[in-house]
């Protein structure tokens, strides 16, 4: 989409390059290819505990697992207790714990009453490797029937067509994690035989959550679905584009195993702070030159979400 910040160029199979370069704003095509979820994992359920207890339990679990206490793993690489990106592996215990608590926090939020004639407003900060942070604002019609707006610092305003993934549509998505994962696996491009269903589902989850307002029960199902995806690990010391510290879940990019994609959460509130893509090895990118392992290739930070009455209006 014109005016959307670009990720560093990648070697991707057909159809996937556009999906990642139009980061967070792409359209997911509706061509169902249902795939089953793992049969050997218990169905994900919301823990029956309060939010303060959930956050405390998460911190304790992370401390024990990171320190190598019984039941934990000292895994190599950036992730904690996982074999990130390995086909067929189960998500790490710590990643599942984190995502379960994030889902609990999400579903505890009160649903928002929104009129069809209003707009979802999201303000964020984005940064490419080697570049300066840029302010980014998006307005999208609640029911997708009217034109929206994308405003990026230094790039001007770009009209947005009505989104098929508007708030009203998001309200219709599954609220059960396994059903949500089944739906995500169905959002594949027809004829794209080289796709990786796990990677695509993980990227779609980040896209849906980052630059929209998702109903609480649907957001919880998305996080629960992420906990079912193999190869997800925990990064205990992540930072978003605004410099805010957080804890992240990460997955090695199946199409480019020298890079990972992270969803970053506030360690106290468990709110989604932003995302980032990180180099896992030394790279030499055509656009930005040499990149060292551990360098951030792209990062974002959600600064504000709100409902407004007009395009261009701020809360």
């Amino acid at each position: 989409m014109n005016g959307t910040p670009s990720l560093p160029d990648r070697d991707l199979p057909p159809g996937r390059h556009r999906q990642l370069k139009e980061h967070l704003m792409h359209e997911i095509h509706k061509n169902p290819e249902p795939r089953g979820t793992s049969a050997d994992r218990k169905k994900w359920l919301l823990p029956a505990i309060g939010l303060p207890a959930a956050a405390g339990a998460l911190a304790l679990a992370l401390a024990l697992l990171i320190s190598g206490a019984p039941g934990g793993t000292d895994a190599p690489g950036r992730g904690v207790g996982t074999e990130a990106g390995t086909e067929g592996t189960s998500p790490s215990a710590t990643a599942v714990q984190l995502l379960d608590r994030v889902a609990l926090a999400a579903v505890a939020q009160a649903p928002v009453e929104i009129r069809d004639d209003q707009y979802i407003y999201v303000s964020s900060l984005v940064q490419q490797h080697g570049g300066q942070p840029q302010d980014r604002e998006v307005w999208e019609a609640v029911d997708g029937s009217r034109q929206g707006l994308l405003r990026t610092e230094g790039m001007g305003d770009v009209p947005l067509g009505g989104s098929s993934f508007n708030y009203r549509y998001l309200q219709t998505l599954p609220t059960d994690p396994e059903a949500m994962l089944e739906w995500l696996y169905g959002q594949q491009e027809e004829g794209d035989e080289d796709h990786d269903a796990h990677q695509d589902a993980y990227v779609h989850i980040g896209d849906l959550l980052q630059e929209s307002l998702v109903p609480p029960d649907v957001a919880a199902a998305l996080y629960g679905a992420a906990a079912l995806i193999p190869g997800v690990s925990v990064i205990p010391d992540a930072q978003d584009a605004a410099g805010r510290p957080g804890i992240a879940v990460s997955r090695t990019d199946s199409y480019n195993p020298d890079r990972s994609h992270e969803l970053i959460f506030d360690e106290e509130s468990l709110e989604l702070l932003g995302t980032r893509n990180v180099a896992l090895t030394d790279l030499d990118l055509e656009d930005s030159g040499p990149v060292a392992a551990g360098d951030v290739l792209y990062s974002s930070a959600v600064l504000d979400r709100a409902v407004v009455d007009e395009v261009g209006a701020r809360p």
Side-chain angles (χ1 to χ4, degrees):
M1 214 171 267
N2 293 336
T4 305
S6 300
L7 292 172
D9 286 340
R10 300 177 170 192
D11 297 324
L12 300 174
R16 210 58 57 205
H17 194 274
R18 174 192 59 78
Q19 183 184 64
L20 292 179
K21 292 200 72 157
E22 295 184 358
H23 188 68
L24 310 176
M25 295 295 293
H26 72 286
E27 294 294 328
I28 306 172
H29 297 282
K30 301 177 184 177
N31 296 304
E33 294 177 12
R35 294 171 177 265
T37 56
S38 175
D40 59 355
R41 188 178 185 276
K42 292 181 180 179
K43 185 175 181 179
W44 179 90
L45 295 173
L46 290 175
I49 54 178
L51 286 178
L58 171 61
L60 176 61
L62 288 173
L64 291 173
L65 286 164
I66 293 171
S67 65
T73 342
D74 289 327
R78 303 183 68 249
V80 177
T82 187
E83 298 175 26
T86 304
E87 185 66 26
T89 61
S90 298
S92 71
T94 8
V96 172
Q97 288 170 349
L98 173 57
L99 288 164
D100 281 356
R101 269 61 178 189
V102 170
L104 177 64
V107 80
Q109 299 297 315
V112 180
E113 292 188 9
I114 305 175
R115 302 191 311 269
D116 285 347
D117 64 340
Q118 293 181 305
Y119 293 83
I120 304 299
Y121 168 81
V122 180
S123 170
S124 59
L125 197 65
V126 296
Q127 184 173 20
Q128 301 288 337
H129 178 263
Q132 294 296 316
Q134 293 176 296
D135 290 317
R136 176 181 168 96
E137 296 174 290
V138 169
W139 291 262
E140 291 206 42
V142 167
D143 62 359
S145 65
R146 299 174 309 284
Q147 191 175 76
L149 179 67
L150 167 64
R151 179 173 293 163
T152 306
E153 182 181 1
M155 303 181 72
D157 291 355
V158 178
L160 298 177
S163 172
S164 60
F165 282 82
N166 56 75
Y167 184 81
R168 292 299 179 222
Y169 178 77
L170 293 177
Q171 288 181 305
T172 71
L173 296 186
T175 56
D176 171 79
E178 289 187 354
M180 175 64 79
L181 188 61
E182 187 84 7
W183 177 84
L184 289 163
Y185 284 155
Q187 307 307 299
Q188 310 296 338
E189 296 192 6
E190 189 173 6
D192 184 2
E193 298 178 355
D194 295 325
H195 74 263
D196 181 284
H198 298 318
Q199 179 67 21
D200 291 349
Y202 182 77
V203 171
H204 291 172
I205 289 171
D207 287 348
L208 289 171
L209 289 164
Q210 173 78 357
E211 208 159 56
S212 59
L213 183 64
V214 181
D217 53 353
V218 175
L222 285 166
Y223 291 125
L228 297 169
I229 297 175
V232 179
S233 62
V234 168
I235 307 298
D237 55 354
Q239 189 177 83
D240 69 8
R244 298 176 298 188
I247 186 168
V249 291
S250 175
R251 191 176 196 274
T252 300
D253 188 332
S254 299
Y255 303 116
N256 297 277
D258 51 12
R259 311 164 199 211
S260 67
H261 182 73
E262 299 175 5
L263 302 176
I264 307 169
F265 304 96
D266 183 277
E267 197 164 356
E268 295 296 326
S269 69
L270 302 178
E271 181 181 3
L272 180 67
L273 295 178
T275 66
R276 67 179 187 177
N277 289 4
V278 179
L280 300 178
T281 63
D282 293 343
L283 302 172
D284 189 7
L285 301 179
E286 183 177 347
D287 290 344
S288 55
V291 174
D295 281 359
V296 177
L297 302 173
Y298 171 87
S299 62
S300 69
V302 178
L303 304 179
D304 194 15
R305 299 180 200 267
V307 179
V308 296
D309 291 334
E310 298 177 359
V311 168
R314 295 186 177 96

